[in-house]
Amino acid sequence: MVGRNALLAPAARRVNRRELGAALALTLIAAIDLTSPASFVTRSFAQTPERIVAAGGVITEVLYALGLQDRLVGVDSTSQFPAEALKDKPNIGYVRALSAEGVLSLKPSLVMAITSAGPPDAISLLNEAGVRLARIPDDMSADGVVTKIEAIGAVAGAVEPARRLAAQTKARFDELATLRTALPAKRRVLFVLSLQNGRTMVGGRNSSADAIIDLAGGINAAAAVEGYKPMTDEAIIAAAPDAILMMRNSGNHDTATEALFALPAFSQTPAAAQRAHIVMDGLYLLGFGPRTPAAARDLMAALYPNVAIPPLKTAAAP
Amino acid sequence: MTLAARPGELAALSSLAAFAAGRRRQAVLAVVGVTLLCLVLAIVATGQGAVQIAPARVAEILMAKLSGQDELLTGRDALVVLNIRLPRVLLAMLIGAALAISGALMQGLFRNPLADPGLVGVSAGAGLAAATTIVLGDRLLAGTGFKLPFAALPVGAFCGGLVSTLALYLIATRQGRTSVATMLLAGVALGALAGSLTGLLAFISDDRQLRDLTFWSLGSLGGASWAKLVIVAPIVLPLLFAVPLLARGLNALMLGEAEAYHLGLPVQRIKGLAILLVALAVGASVATAGVIGFVGIVVPHLIRLAIGPDHRLLLPLSALGGATLLVGADIAARLIVAPAELPIGIVTAAVGAPFFLWLLLRRANHVDL
């Protein structure tokens, strides 16, 4: 298929480049994991009460926040926070392309997987193997984050710490809501996922970027499109964003503010006039875990530089 | 239907046979070698995986299963060997054989060493159908309370492959004659059309669906189960035995279509049958394991280099070689990044693409088919 397309079908070739990119990235991630001797260390600790495999970065993040990292015996490749997770634990691969035997090889007594984890074949094999399997819904809203933390704690047998973390997170979200009410006229934010070959990929409605912009008290300037989609230069000008939001290290090579606003599409926006270019860590921004209230608060502070936005008062960790 | 050349009929064919006879020693070596390699790899594949199981324990589990001592078959090791690895090894062999024999068949039919099953649009049609199920399936059923049945994707992909092949056949057939050249060109056109529609679906998909599409199009044997094997084997196994019956016809076709026709061969029937067999074999394998590139194009070439162009040997040996390659590639896919797993399309393409380039460079001063 790859060869045929490369020879014959230019239209399909572009798709294949993306596939190849994904493949390369995967191979690279895998290679890095293999070369790190630490990834095998945890296997020798067989006496922990529960052996948990986490499939979904947010699950790993919450388990670490609850202090349960010693029980974690495997994480998926999206578990990039905290950074030591992927360094210390074996990597079971991308959350939607898990291998049943790979997961079983870690002898888990509990597999916690977000609802989008898959493929279904692997999940049903895990079920057959008699491993306790818990699905955690990955809802991208304030309430969703709170429910998620409680659910993870309940499954992991850490109800009380999870309840505390959830309550604190909820309090932080409530504080954030109060901050939102104090904002002046809402500003329009355009989330740019990537800028490649002049093609601008933006975060439309029902995307994680849309959810965080909403939490930070902004208006998604790309709400006309659904999900992450390319947007034309003209549409970007018409969307008239007051600020451009981007992720650090997302293949954008940290696009410099000057370079960004020199682009025809962006030079005509209100954002260019104010040099409003916000760059944040992608996982922090879009992770939808316990750090989300802080991320939304930081985004809010960057978005409304003329408004005094205090740091959240409620403590972050239980 | 008899496709066998009658005695004393073809000077050309008998010279081909003599050519083949000259290679008999090589052929015997190749058959024995590939069979042994395939067996060894199958044993390694059953014994190795992310879960460490001692070879003695694997043998014990297999013996217990064969002798019906089911009480010994409880626990994780037995589940891994019997329900994960064994069906996976068998599925790899079946699909590898199906893809490689289809490639050999296509190359013979089109008399073109670059032909592979993707060329007749089976893969593209199946890919489009799969993309449709992944992207639109949930939307169409949204609000109806129904969930997409588990089998929707493989069944859809299989039908997509068959439908696109049928369309191609109808386009290329005029007054009962199928033009192989038209078919080739129409295959390219239909492939591009299916690719464009798949691209459109990728465009309207959400992140989750896009990831699914990407991984699906890289292929995986991860979903192997006895249930899948029971569905695929009845389609692929008969094909593997039916295809070699076309060998003499394909040998005659090497002289040219008109020549083969004048020699009294049912050329039209051979073409129709070959296309149908390829559509079934590739459709079934794409439906179960996604798109696995390069097996169809690489294996027949390797075999041809070893034993020459006689289809009587080329077809069955290609099947055997395809099974070997895919079992080997799957071992790599499962072990390189364990406990994660590489999509097998990455492995086959990583092996296939350099080989293919080497083949092209070699062809610059030495044409062989």
Side-chain angles (χ1 to χ4, degrees), chain A residues 90-175:
Chain A
N91 179 354
I92 58 168
Y94 180 62
V95 63
R96 300 189 58 77
L98 302 175
S99 142
E101 186 178 338
V103 173
L104 288 177
S105 74
L106 304 172
K107 302 192 187 73
S109 55
L110 167 65
V111 175
M112 291 174 98
I114 54 172
T115 38
S116 59
D121 293 325
I123 300 293
S124 69
L125 276 171
L126 287 177
N127 257 329
E128 264 180 63
V131 177
R132 202 171 136 227
L133 189 69
R135 307 306 294 265
I136 308 291
D138 195 16
D139 185 358
M140 283 169 187
S141 69
D143 288 345
V145 170
V146 173
T147 324
K148 208 184 316 185
I149 294 170
E150 280 173 343
I152 293 168
V155 174
V159 180
E160 204 37 50
R163 225 173 44 86
R164 277 199 301 276
L165 181 61
Q168 266 154 347
T169 310
K170 175 154 181 18
R172 286 160 73 75
F173 272 121
D174 291 345
E175 260 191 79

Side-chain angles (χ1 to χ4, degrees), chain A residues 1 4 8 18-19 23 26 30 34 91-94 96-97 99 101-102 104-105 107 120-121 128-129 228-230, chain B residues 49-51 76 79 83 85 118-119 150 203 207-208 210-212 215 217 223 228 291 336-337 339-341 346:
Chain A
M1 175 87 190
R4 185 184 60 86
L8 303 170
R18 189 189 310 152
E19 293 171 4
L26 240 143
L34 269 186
N91 179 354
I92 58 168
Y94 180 62
R96 300 189 58 77
S99 142
E101 186 178 338
L104 288 177
S105 74
K107 302 192 187 73
D121 293 325
E128 264 180 63
Y228 291 100
K229 289 282 142 59
Chain B
V51 176
R76 193 186 55 133
L79 177 102
N83 287 8
R85 283 189 200 162
L119 207 64
F150 193 51
F203 178 80
D207 298 6
R208 181 181 64 77
L210 193 62
R211 295 278 197 163
D212 281 350
F215 276 103
S217 63
K228 272 193 186 167
V291 182
I336 292 175
V337 299
E341 190 172 303
I346 294 177

Side-chain angles (χ1 to χ4, degrees), chain A residues 210-292:
Chain A
D210 185 82
I212 195 80
I213 290 170
D214 190 51
L215 282 172
I219 295 174
N220 187 358
V225 298
E226 166 98 27
Y228 291 100
K229 289 282 142 59
M231 200 172 191
T232 64
D233 291 0
E234 283 176 50
I236 291 168
I237 295 169
D242 299 304
I244 309 296
L245 175 60
M246 290 175 78
M247 297 196 298
R248 193 169 294 130
N249 302 326
S250 62
N252 303 315
H253 306 293
D254 288 320
T255 308
T257 305
E258 288 312 313
L260 172 74
F261 291 125
L263 294 171
F266 294 93
S267 65
Q268 303 303 311
T269 59
Q274 304 157 43
R275 287 288 178 270
H277 181 209
I278 306 168
V279 181
M280 287 177 72
D281 179 82
L283 281 163
Y284 181 54
L285 187 68
L286 304 175
F288 284 88
R291 296 186 299 157
T292 296

